[in-house]
Amino acid sequence: MDIYNSTLSPALDIGAGCYLLVVAVLSIIGNLLVLIIAFKRSSRMKPVELLSVNLAVTDLGAAVTMYPLAVASAWSHRWLGGDITCILYGLAGFFFGIASIMNLTILAIVRFTVSINLQSPKEKISWKKVKMLCMWTWLYALIWALFPILGWGRYGPEPFGLSCSLAWGEMKHEGFSFVISMFSFNLIMPSIIIIFCYFGIAIKLYFTYKKSINNSNRVPHIVKLHRRLLVIAVLISVGFLGCWAPYGMVSLWSIFHDSKTIPPEVSLLPCMFAKSSTVYNPMIYYVFSQSFKREVKQLRGMCLGFNSCRVSSSVNDNSIYMVSTDIKPKIAARSTFQDITESKIVTLS
């Protein structure tokens, strides 16, 4: 039996190909918009925003390197690549997946560190540190992706025959330690850290609000802005983990039980759901980030030829993951330049 033949019906193959095509188009367009807008405002970008740019790069990389071949294979009713292509495809999927979840974990840790002192005007993290963290995510993901190539773990075709990933069913014995280690360090531990950090931020915001409720409205305004960023970050993390959780459960079932007990149609659904994780982040930015929505509209206007493409220079402008706001009352127009520069500007990340 050819392991690269589709085990699905032709109609289901065509449907899966159409679904992946839509996911690919939305993912490429959405993440390209994130990168274009980040490039436009690069001169005013805050260090932590580089993590959200890094996340867009991982999603875009997965969409470009994986989805076109998967769509063509689905419409051809068999995997179009050979053994080498299957290994490279599985490596790419594993690589970008690990890079994404590690990026989300670092983002949660950084945001938790920043939230410890909401009113501090100091920059909480430098560009050098953020760049090192981004490089670490790629290096960490590359090391894990190379392990199956070096003999610890294995890549192979999915049960339905249209794409390749880690060969879960073939790692019951020789790759069992790899599976346990991979789930422990790349799913369970990051999930715990993300939950702990965002729960800690929520508690900090609550007590900050309660402590300042009888004071001026400055701190509650900061809390409100921080809460908006918290919602964005939590939705992105929940979206990613929620997309990959069903795939992880089916994969574990293949390890502890006979993978042939899972119908191909059932194994297809978690895989398709996991691939959609690259689409959600730009959508979340568009819904919850006012500046991102405004700049997308400006880009659209420029493409249609009836609006200029510009970026707002307002200090209170919200970026994708950063909010800057003046916590003092508005300064009158007659205030001197010295008075303005002495006002405290708080940067929330």
Side-chain angles (χ1 to χ4, degrees):
M1 180 180 178
D2 189 350
I3 60 174
Y4 294 129
N5 273 335
S6 173
T7 57
L8 305 173
S9 65
L12 197 54
D13 282 339
I14 295 175
C18 293
Y19 170 82
L20 288 176
L21 179 62
V22 172
V23 169
V25 171
L26 293 178
S27 180
I28 292 174
I29 293 176
N31 288 288
L32 273 178
L33 284 174
V34 174
L35 296 180
I36 291 171
I37 291 174
F39 177 78
K40 286 173 54 184
R41 60 186 307 138
S42 58
S43 61
R44 296 183 295 111
M45 184 182 295
K46 304 301 181 181
V48 180
E49 290 182 74
L50 187 60
L51 292 173
S52 61
V53 173
N54 199 44
L55 186 61
V57 172
T58 62
D59 290 342
L60 183 62
V64 171
T65 59
M66 299 173 61
Y67 298 162
L69 184 56
V71 171
S73 297
W75 288 346
S76 299
H77 311 298
R78 63 172 284 111
W79 173 250
L80 294 180
D83 293 335
I84 300 299
T85 306
C86 182
I87 293 175
L88 294 176
Y89 185 96
L91 185 148
F94 191 38
F95 171 71
F96 286 116
I98 297 297
S100 294
I101 194 169
M102 287 299 110
N103 198 90
L104 291 173
T105 305
I106 291 175
L107 186 58
I109 295 173
V110 170
R111 287 185 50 76
F112 177 76
T113 304
V114 169
S115 69
I116 293 177
N117 190 353
L118 297 180
Q119 301 183 71
S120 174
K122 295 178 60 178
E123 193 71 66
K124 308 299 191 307
I125 185 169
S126 65
W127 276 105
K128 182 179 179 180
K129 291 181 180 179
V130 171
K131 290 178 181 178
M132 291 179 62
L133 290 173
C134 290
M135 292 178 60
W136 179 86
T137 60
W138 291 108
L139 180 60
Y140 180 86
L142 180 61
I143 292 173
W144 275 96
L146 289 177
F147 278 147
I149 302 293
L150 300 176
W152 194 35
R154 182 180 300 177
Y155 292 117
E158 297 277 8
F160 46 86
L162 297 179
S163 63
C164 297
S165 180
L166 290 170
W168 303 103
E170 301 178 15
M171 294 189 291
K172 294 180 181 294
H173 304 291
E174 67 274 9
F176 187 76
S177 60
F178 170 80
V179 173
I180 298 301
S181 300
M182 191 275 295
F183 271 97
S184 299
F185 290 103
N186 299 315
L187 184 60
I188 298 176
M189 186 177 68
S191 300
I192 293 175
I193 293 175
I194 290 172
I195 293 172
F196 173 82
C197 289
Y198 288 137
F199 187 71
I201 294 174
I203 293 177
K204 175 65 178 180
L205 293 178
Y206 174 77
F207 282 107
T208 301
Y209 177 81
K210 295 292 288 186
K211 183 178 179 180
S212 60
I213 194 65
N214 295 324
N215 299 333
S216 65
N217 291 328
R218 290 178 293 180
V219 174
H221 181 59
I222 295 174
V223 173
K224 186 181 297 185
L225 294 174
H226 238 306
R227 184 176 58 188
R228 184 190 308 164
L229 295 181
L230 178 62
V231 169
I232 295 176
V234 169
L235 286 176
I236 290 174
S237 299
V238 170
F240 182 86
L241 295 175
C243 286
W244 282 96
Y247 182 80
M249 289 187 292
V250 172
S251 301
L252 282 177
W253 178 271
S254 301
I255 292 294
F256 294 104
H257 301 82
D258 188 358
S259 59
K260 295 180 180 179
T261 60
I262 304 176
E265 295 79 6
V266 175
S267 64
L268 172 69
L269 294 178
C271 184
M272 296 294 103
F273 195 44
K275 292 181 185 299
S276 68
S277 63
T278 59
V279 177
Y280 299 140
N281 295 352
M283 293 183 178
I284 294 173
Y285 296 150
Y286 188 83
V287 173
F288 291 94
S289 175
Q290 296 177 357
S291 69
F292 184 76
K293 180 185 297 185
R294 179 172 61 253
E295 291 175 18
V296 168
K297 292 180 178 179
Q298 290 173 355
L299 284 175
R300 183 181 62 185
M302 181 189 67
C303 294
L304 295 177
F306 61 81
N307 193 11
S308 61
C309 183
R310 62 181 181 83
V311 180
S312 173
S313 59
S314 171
V315 76
N316 290 326
D317 191 37
N318 296 347
S319 58
I320 296 174
Y321 253 108
M322 197 71 58
V323 176
S324 298
T325 181
D326 190 345
I327 64 173
K328 283 190 173 183
K330 287 186 177 180
I331 302 175
R334 63 176 180 273
S335 298
T336 64
F337 177 77
Q338 181 179 1
D339 292 332
I340 297 175
T341 57
E342 290 177 352
S343 65
K344 293 181 180 179
I345 304 296
V346 174
T347 300
L348 304 177
S349 60

